[in-house]
Amino acid sequence: MEKICMNEELMRYNLTGKWNDYIGVQKEVLNVLRKEDFFTESEVINVQTGMLIKINAKGIKETIGPGMRFQALPKKLKQLKIATIHKIKWIVRNAELIKDDVPDYHHEEGCTFAYLMAKIMIDGKVVSIRITVKKKIAVNWFWIHNIDELKSLE
């Protein structure tokens, strides 16, 4: 199981005073990821399904988006989401499929979603991370990740 020290991960970014500004958080996280060449090897194969999933800046922006994706979350959940960003590739690679071919009722025709779940250790506690993959005919995209077990961290 992959391990994360939340404070070490958060120190990568200059987010002091920005937690309620999701656009500022997006910009800071994307700048750091680009500087670290995070998107250079952006294709990940999920071990269980063989699904090829691309991770790009658009997916990172989506996961740090408005409403309950990021903006309206409690600060602790925001911090956990940001702390897990650098482990997204590991999470996607090792996650288990929980639901596939879920229709996209909101936007694109011919697009479906898959939901994956992986466990990761944050500060010595096991946490479930749920990944949303946007599936299109030509490519599968990392779309959003959520922390599902806040109670286990309290």
Side-chain angles (χ1 to χ4, degrees), residues 105-145:
Y105 296 110
H106 304 287
H107 299 92
E108 300 177 48
E109 198 171 312
C111 173
T112 61
F113 292 100
Y115 300 106
L116 307 170
M117 184 77 75
K119 298 212 181 280
I120 197 163
M121 190 170 287
I122 301 175
D123 294 339
K125 297 178 181 163
V126 177
V127 178
S128 292
I129 308 288
R130 187 170 29 93
I131 299 288
T132 301
V133 176
K134 188 171 190 174
K135 296 175 66 177
K136 294 186 176 186
I137 294 168
V139 68
N140 302 309
W141 296 101
F142 162 78
W143 203 242
I144 296 173
H145 80 295

Side-chain angles (χ1 to χ4, degrees), residues 6 12 19 31 37 44 48 51 57 61 64 80 82-83 93 106-107 117 120 126 154:
M6 187 163 71
R12 292 178 188 262
W19 291 107
N31 285 337
D37 291 325
V44 177
Q48 180 198 23
M51 186 185 320
K61 281 181 77 171
I64 307 172
L80 289 166
I82 298 304
R93 184 178 301 110
H106 304 287
H107 299 92
M117 184 77 75
I120 197 163
V126 177
E154 295 174 342

